[in-house]
Amino acid sequence: MYPRPIPESAALHRRLYMAILGLALLAWLLPLIAVTMTSFRSTQDIMSGNYWGWPVAPTLIGNYAQVFAQTPMARFFANSLVITIPSVVLVLVLSTLNGFVLSRYRFRGATLLFAVFVGGNFLPHQILMIPVRDLMVKAGLYDTFYALILFHVAFQTGFATLFMRNFIASLPGELFDAARAEGVSPPKVLWYIVVPLLRPALAALAVLTFTFIWNDYFWAVVLTQSDSVKPVTAGLANLKGEWLSAWNVVAAATMIAAIPPVAMFFLMQRHFIAGLTAGAVKG
């Protein structure tokens, strides 16, 4: 149920709403502001206990340069890219194929198959920690990129299939009827008709999936052990242990780790919003 709009005549209520909204925004941004300011602090600031005040002698690039010069963050960063990009591509491909079949074709067991995809989203990943780890060990994939890629593809495809199936089902049926009348094969229907119309949905799904996989910490710890494979989230945890008192360096590394998902969102913002709101105005 949507909240009722505040009428123009209720000036006091509108001001109160804006004040509460501003306070909520400040509370949400406060940790980010604190981490950003800490990433510019000098070591003297940290040692003197200046955690919340304005940096006395701010260093704009010193801490960020130190992250790459004295820590393995560059390797962790590259590892995350190696894990995240193939995972996102595979999830988009598989979910598009699954969504196309489940939304446009009727066959025995289709409803059950779709329920399996949806039901997997309600399964807590933590209870699968030991079975998944043992499976990767027996398959010889433990502590490799393939372990994390396979896991993320398997568990993100369920939500992505639900997303794509609903989006494809909302496309006009006349397009598919016309294609069948012309004798167009299903692969060509998918490639030449469906995929061009899916660009907003694919962009939205890519941003969401990229963010989920990039920010994953739990499975990065469970399925990796060596620094040559660890993604940036597990690397940050190691960094905090090695640089216990250098919170300025850890904060700088945290800001660097946050750049890819934020940059991807802003680069694809228009398509992302269009993909999430698609179908909202359809009858």
Side-chain angles (χ1 to χ4, degrees), residues 12-25:
L12 179 61
H13 290 146
R14 295 180 71 86
R15 294 195 193 97
L16 182 61
Y17 171 78
M18 295 303 296
I20 295 175
L21 182 62
L23 290 175
L25 181 61

Side-chain angles (χ1 to χ4, degrees), residues 221-246:
V221 174
V222 172
L223 297 179
T224 63
Q225 189 173 15
S226 60
D227 288 350
S228 60
V229 180
K230 284 183 179 178
V232 70
T233 48
L236 280 173
N238 286 0
L239 204 65
K240 186 176 67 173
E242 295 176 8
W243 298 72
L244 185 60
S245 59

Side-chain angles (χ1 to χ4, degrees), residues 104-276:
R104 290 298 166 183
Y105 293 93
R106 297 292 179 264
F107 55 90
R108 181 177 297 180
T111 303
L112 178 61
L113 180 61
F114 182 58
V116 171
F117 280 111
V118 176
N121 296 315
F122 300 99
L123 190 66
H125 293 181
Q126 290 78 5
I127 67 174
L128 299 175
M129 178 181 67
I130 295 177
V132 169
R133 183 184 181 279
D134 290 345
L135 176 64
M136 295 302 174
V137 171
K138 292 178 181 178
L141 299 177
Y142 179 75
D143 199 27
T144 66
F145 293 128
Y146 299 107
L148 286 172
I149 292 174
L150 286 175
F151 174 83
H152 288 308
V153 170
F155 278 84
Q156 296 295 333
T157 300
F159 166 76
T161 297
L162 171 65
F163 187 93
M164 297 303 292
R165 185 262 182 192
N166 293 339
F167 192 96
I168 297 174
S170 68
L171 297 177
E174 291 81 3
L175 293 173
F176 300 92
D177 294 337
R180 290 194 200 97
E182 294 293 332
V184 181
S185 63
K188 290 185 177 180
V189 171
L190 174 64
W191 182 252
Y192 291 106
I193 297 178
V194 176
V195 171
L197 297 174
L198 288 182
R199 289 177 183 174
L202 289 172
L205 191 58
V207 173
L208 291 174
T209 307
F210 187 96
T211 304
F212 293 155
I213 297 175
W214 183 274
N215 290 333
D216 171 70
Y217 171 73
F218 180 79
W219 291 106
V221 174
V222 172
L223 297 179
T224 63
Q225 189 173 15
S226 60
D227 288 350
S228 60
V229 180
K230 284 183 179 178
V232 70
T233 48
L236 280 173
N238 286 0
L239 204 65
K240 186 176 67 173
E242 295 176 8
W243 298 72
L244 185 60
S245 59
W247 286 104
N248 50 346
V249 178
V250 176
T254 303
M255 297 301 297
I256 293 172
I259 290 176
V262 173
M264 186 172 183
F265 172 78
F266 281 107
L267 288 174
M268 307 183 71
Q269 183 178 10
R270 179 169 60 89
H271 300 291
F272 177 77
I273 295 174
L276 291 184

